[in-house]
Amino acid sequence: MYPFQKIHGTEQPNTSQSKNAQTRVWLFGFVLLVIILAGLMYLQEINKKKNFYKRTDALSGLLVNGFPNSLLLNFKDPKIRSSYSLNYSKDRKQYTTVFSLKENFFLVYEKYKTYLKQNSYYLANDQIDAREFKATLYGFSNDSDINVQIFKKSEDFSNLNITYLKKGGE
C-alpha cells in the first residue's frame, strides 16, 4: 500500500515521506533566498564602486577646474585634448590633463625635470627613452604628487599627459 497506508479503515499518507518533501521545499526556498540576497548585495557593491570616484570633465579644449595652470610651464598655445578630475575623498583629488605642444621633446623633458626640483618635489621616477622618445617623471611632496609623461609626436611637437594628485584639504 505504498505510498499510503490503511490506518483504522482510512488511507493516510506516509508521514516520513511527507516530512521529507516538506524539508526539501523549505531547503530549496532557503537556498533560493540566499542566492537572491547574495545577488542584491553584489549589485549594491557594484553601484557603490561606480559612483565612488566622481569624474568631472572639462569642456573640450579647456582645463578642468582645479588643475594648476603652473603645470603648463608657460608654454605657448598648448592644445588641450582632455582634462578631468577624480574625487577620491574629501582630502584627495586627482587632476589629469592631456595636451600637445609645439616644443622639442628634450626641451620639454628638461623643463619639467627642473620644475619638479625647483618646487621641492622628490623625484621618485626619472626615466627617458631617447630611442623611443618617451619620458616619465614622477615627483611627490607632502602636499601633492605629479606624474608627467612626455611623448615625441614629431621633431617640433610633443604630447604630454600630466596627472596631479592634491593631498590634504581643499
Side-chain angles (χ1 to χ4, degrees), residues 56 68 83 88 115 144 167:
T56 304
S83 188
Y88 292 130
Y115 173 87
S144 60
K167 301 183 257 185

Side-chain angles (χ1 to χ4, degrees), residues 14 18 22 24 29 52 54 64 71 83 103 147 149 167:
N14 185 334
S18 176
Q22 200 173 30
R24 279 186 249 134
F52 188 69
K54 184 179 181 226
V64 69
L71 289 178
S83 188
E103 293 287 341
N147 185 45
Q149 295 178 319
K167 301 183 257 185

Side-chain angles (χ1 to χ4, degrees), residues 100-113:
S100 60
L101 300 168
K102 186 177 180 180
E103 293 287 341
N104 179 276
F105 169 82
F106 293 105
L107 174 73
V108 173
Y109 167 77
E110 285 301 324
K111 280 190 173 185
Y112 275 101
K113 186 174 179 178

Side-chain angles (χ1 to χ4, degrees), residues 136-163:
T136 300
L137 295 164
Y138 184 84
F140 66 88
S141 70
N142 290 335
D143 300 332
S144 60
D145 294 0
I146 297 175
N147 185 45
V148 180
Q149 295 178 319
I150 308 161
F151 307 94
K152 180 180 175 181
K153 184 176 178 182
S154 67
E155 194 60 39
D156 292 327
F157 282 90
S158 299
N159 289 332
L160 286 91
N161 182 337
I162 298 179
T163 301

Side-chain angles (χ1 to χ4, degrees), residues 1-61:
M1 295 203 152
Y2 188 77
F4 297 100
Q5 298 174 334
K6 257 192 173 188
I7 302 176
H8 304 292
T10 60
E11 292 184 1
Q12 296 290 327
N14 185 334
T15 55
S16 66
Q17 284 182 342
S18 176
K19 284 183 182 179
N20 283 343
Q22 200 173 30
T23 302
R24 279 186 249 134
V25 169
W26 279 103
L27 184 60
F28 177 75
F30 178 74
V31 169
L32 187 61
L33 180 64
V34 167
I35 290 171
I36 290 171
L37 288 176
L40 289 174
M41 288 171 49
Y42 176 74
L43 289 175
Q44 184 179 15
E45 198 62 32
I46 286 175
N47 283 336
K48 277 185 189 176
K49 287 181 182 177
K50 267 189 202 174
N51 299 325
F52 188 69
Y53 303 129
K54 184 179 181 226
R55 179 176 166 148
T56 304
D57 287 274
L59 294 174
S60 181

